Amino acid sequence: MPVTDEAIVRIKEMILGGELAPGAKLPKEADLAERLGLSRNSLREAVKALSLIRVLDVRQGDGTYVTSLEPELLLDTLAFVVDFQRDDTVLHFLQVRRILEPEATALAARAMTDAQVAALGELLAALPEDASLDELLANDLEFHRLIAIGSGNPVLVPLLDGISAPTTRARIWRGLTEEGATARTREQHRAIHSALARRDADLARALALAHVCGVEQWLRDTLGGPAARPSASNGADSTTS
């Protein structure tokens, strides 16, 4: 095992073993390196790597601390990794979104507060009829983000945010090329909001599935790829989202 990797593993073991709790300050570099039997340079590289993935927080002039280790913080790096994916993987991300988003919407139907449901409705109402494509996309992303937050599951928010990034170009492309796509998206968003307001989890899940499946099926057809599986197309309609 490379020395830097060994240093990462040793620090990880200290955190998992409870020796370093969330928010705890690491010992001084010289003391920790001697204790772990590692060079200060290897330890420094390990700390740098762990800070990049939000496990450690290096504060200049103060020291190095373990972060809160909350899921939304650690998974925030997912979006960075996803940015490196090629365009030909977008269908894979859409498939993952198809799995996660309907369940997140069903959870939201049970968990969202009245204030959160109202805020979602205000977001839809604030979108002008002559909205630009950029405004439509921003509204769409925020709509789905608020539903993920409303699910009450902090892991779903960064996961859904992360996998949405590679699909943005396809959604813009569809909004530009398919007649009536944006109008259908508005209509489907309103239907999902209505199901959430009625606390109908089954209906909310079904509407979200149809909503998300639309862009996947459209992209398959556009790229001339294989037909979507039945689970990906049942009830699907056209949507920019």
Side-chain angles (χ1 to χ4, degrees):
M1 180 185 297
V3 180
T4 300
D5 290 353
E6 182 183 353
I8 291 173
V9 169
R10 299 290 293 278
I11 295 173
K12 176 183 174 183
E13 289 172 347
M14 292 176 71
I15 295 172
L16 294 179
E19 189 173 350
L20 290 172
K25 185 177 182 179
L26 269 65
K28 291 182 179 179
E29 183 182 272
D31 295 339
L32 185 57
E34 181 179 0
R35 177 178 170 183
L36 297 179
L38 300 167
S39 70
R40 294 178 65 174
N41 185 59
S42 296
L43 179 61
R44 198 174 297 124
E45 291 300 315
V47 168
K48 186 185 298 182
L50 290 170
S51 67
L52 287 174
I53 60 172
R54 307 293 182 86
V55 172
L56 297 179
D57 179 20
V58 180
R59 305 176 189 174
Q60 293 297 328
D62 187 13
T64 300
Y65 292 79
V66 180
T67 67
S68 66
L69 302 179
E70 291 293 329
E72 56 266 37
L73 178 65
L74 298 180
L75 289 171
D76 186 52
T77 56
L78 175 65
F80 178 80
V81 175
V82 163
D83 284 341
F84 290 96
Q85 301 306 302
R86 303 183 308 273
D87 285 348
D88 59 4
T89 64
V90 67
L91 279 170
H92 298 152
F93 285 100
L94 285 168
Q95 288 171 340
V96 174
R97 189 177 171 214
R98 169 163 39 97
I99 293 167
L100 295 179
E101 194 149 325
E103 292 307 315
T105 308
L107 287 172
R110 303 185 185 99
M112 287 182 87
T113 65
D114 290 342
Q116 286 176 314
V117 174
L120 194 64
E122 290 169 4
L123 175 71
L124 296 179
L127 185 65
E129 289 299 322
D130 59 348
S132 67
L133 190 58
D134 285 344
E135 289 175 317
L136 287 165
L137 183 60
N139 190 274
D140 178 82
L141 291 172
E142 182 65 6
F143 177 80
H144 293 287
R145 190 184 74 85
L146 290 179
I147 290 176
I149 293 172
S151 73
N153 187 324
V155 177
L156 280 172
V157 180
L159 280 178
L160 288 171
D161 277 350
I163 64 175
S164 288
T167 70
T168 300
R169 186 180 301 178
R171 291 149 80 177
I172 293 174
W173 182 16
R174 191 179 195 197
L176 287 170
T177 60
E178 185 174 62
E179 184 178 355
T182 55
R184 282 188 290 270
T185 293
R186 288 174 181 266
E187 183 180 326
Q188 291 177 353
H189 279 183
R190 286 193 287 264
I192 291 170
H193 174 254
S194 179
L196 292 171
R198 295 200 302 272
R199 308 299 181 179
D200 190 333
D202 291 335
L203 179 59
R205 180 190 293 110
L207 290 169
L209 178 61
H211 182 57
V212 173
C213 282
V215 70
E216 181 184 342
Q217 185 62 58
W218 170 83
L219 188 58
R220 287 183 184 279
D221 293 343
T222 301
L223 297 176
R229 296 181 179 85
S231 61
S233 57
N234 288 345
D237 194 1
S238 297
T239 175
T240 55
S241 140

